[in-house]
């Protein structure tokens, strides 16, 4: 049965930035499919999120993690034992005009969005390669292909383009080890990240007006794609980018 291919029983999944938003929706979907899910997040709210999943009879736990510190990432990989699925979801966005962007802000965006993705992929990918199985899903963005308007976000856009090409690079390198690496590029999704922009009328008007489906996406609509990429249902996909943007990048 093709539906059986979506099941994740007996597998362990790590979701960075899984305390809320898209990450929490992905953690929930993977746990509902039978995985033991590790929410690895800077935000201690991740503990409550894990308890909420446990209360539904799902396997979830929280570990504090700052993805920008490779030593923390390596320590978590040592602690957890075999990990089958890694979702690199932690990400930040800053809307500072390029001419006013301080060095520290540029570096922080790249530290979380690009370096964090690499530190986690390397640390968890090592065990996957040794066991000849694994699925890594990088949450990129449509901002890696287009320049959003009207808000300025050069660092974010450049960082997400890097995530997409890092995805392809690791997919090519690790295919012989049985490790698949894919990306999801969401459009505008209703989370804390987009809340402030939605309250700004000109931003809201552009965001919705430029989206053919005429609405924001829900975190669960990204999570369903992550479940597909995590599972055997996507066994012939690697190095691919699923664009989940309500059609934004068509125009
Ligand atoms: P949120 O801001 O709602 O959640 C992000 C989570 O990541 C927070 O819990 C945050 O914790 C955590 N986090 C931030 N920095 C780190 C870090 N250094 N180490 C570990 N965890 C960290 O974001 P979304 O759910 O909206 O976004 C999730 C992903 O999806 C991001 O990569 C984002 O770029 C991407 N995306 C989102 C879109 C959208 O429209 N929402 C569109 C396209 C892509 P804390 O609060 O403590 O910082």
């Amino acid at each position: 049965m093709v539906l059986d291919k979506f099941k994740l029983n007996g597998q362990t999944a790590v979701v960075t930035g899984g305390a809320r938003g898209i990450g929490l929706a992905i953690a929930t979907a993977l746990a509902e499919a039978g995985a033991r899910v590790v929410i690895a997040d800077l935000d201690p709210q991740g503990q409550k999120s894990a308890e909420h999943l446990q209360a539904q009879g799902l396997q979830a736990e929280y570990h504090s993690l700052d993805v920008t510190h490779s030593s923390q990432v390596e320590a978590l990989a040592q602690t957890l034992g075999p990990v089958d699925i890694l979702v690199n979801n932690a990400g930040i966005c800053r809307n500072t005009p390029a001419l006013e962007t301080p060095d520290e802000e540029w570096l922080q965006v790249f530290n979380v969005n690009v370096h964090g993705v690499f530190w986690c992929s390397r640390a968890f990918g090592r065990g996957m390669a040794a066991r000849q199985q694994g699925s890594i899903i990088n949450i990129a963005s449509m901002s890696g292909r287009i320049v959003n308007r009207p808000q300025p976000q050069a660092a974010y856009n450049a960082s997400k383009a890097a995530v997409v090409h890092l995805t392809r690079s690791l997919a090519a390198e690790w295919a012989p080890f049985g490790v698949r690496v894919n990306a999801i590029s969401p459009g505008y999704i209703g989370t804390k990240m987009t809340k402030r922009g939605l309250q700004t009328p000109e931003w809201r008007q552009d965001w919705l007006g430029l989206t053919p489906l005429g609405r924001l996406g829900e975190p669960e609509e990204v999570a369903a794609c992550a479940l597909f990429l995590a599972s055997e249902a996507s066994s012939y996909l690697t190095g691919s980018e699923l664009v989940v943007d309500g059609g934004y990048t068509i125009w």
Side-chain angles (χ1 to χ4, degrees):
M1 274 248 295
V2 74
L3 273 181
D4 288 339
K5 291 182 184 287
F6 287 86
K7 291 184 181 161
L8 301 176
N9 299 78
Q11 300 199 39
T12 296
V14 173
V15 183
T16 70
R20 65 164 192 260
I22 293 172
L24 178 56
I26 292 173
T28 305
L30 301 186
E32 285 176 356
R36 163 198 171 213
V37 170
V38 175
I39 292 175
D41 201 305
L42 200 53
D43 187 346
Q45 168 70 26
Q47 178 63 38
K48 288 212 170 66
S49 303
E51 286 167 9
H52 182 69
L53 296 184
Q54 289 161 9
Q56 297 167 53
L58 303 173
Q59 297 178 76
E61 61 203 74
Y62 167 68
H63 289 260
S64 174
L65 177 71
D66 183 341
V67 298
T68 67
H69 293 293
S70 71
S71 56
Q72 280 188 29
V73 173
E74 292 288 339
L76 182 63
Q78 293 289 325
T79 307
L80 292 180
V83 166
D84 306 282
I85 298 157
L86 167 67
V87 184
N88 284 308
N89 165 80
I92 59 172
C93 183
R94 298 290 179 262
N95 296 118
T96 312
L99 290 175
E100 293 153 30
T101 298
D103 292 8
E104 300 72 32
E105 186 177 298
W106 180 274
L107 289 171
Q108 184 59 7
V109 170
F110 271 72
N111 276 334
V112 180
N113 294 6
V114 184
H115 304 151
V117 171
F118 183 67
W119 307 150
C120 291
S121 299
R122 185 180 60 185
F124 291 101
R126 201 177 290 123
M128 292 178 183
R131 288 181 300 110
Q132 292 276 310
Q133 68 164 65
S135 175
I136 297 177
I137 299 148
N138 296 327
I139 307 303
S141 171
M142 68 174 180
S143 308
R145 340 179 112 225
I146 54 91
V147 174
N148 303 62
R149 50 184 185 172
Q151 74 278 20
Q153 48 184 49
Y156 182 83
N157 296 347
S159 75
K160 292 299 188 177
V163 170
V164 175
H165 211 52
L166 176 61
T167 301
R168 296 189 195 105
S169 306
L170 297 181
E173 216 175 302
W174 294 349
F177 304 128
V179 180
R180 297 186 297 111
V181 188
N182 291 290
I184 296 178
S185 286
Y188 290 111
I189 309 295
T191 67
K192 189 171 175 190
M193 187 179 273
T194 47
K195 202 170 172 191
R196 192 175 65 88
L198 284 168
Q199 288 162 351
T200 309
E202 312 86 73
W203 290 24
R204 185 187 174 86
Q205 195 181 336
D206 273 1
W207 291 6
L208 297 183
L210 290 166
T211 303
L213 287 184
R215 64 171 176 86
L216 291 186
E218 298 292 335
E220 291 71 22
E221 293 177 294
V222 180
C225 298
L227 171 57
F228 169 61
L229 290 176
S231 71
E232 273 303 296
S234 62
S235 51
Y236 201 51
L237 273 82
T238 198
S240 71
E241 179 193 8
L242 286 189
V243 181
V244 187
D245 65 352
Y248 190 104
T249 52
I250 296 171
W251 288 338

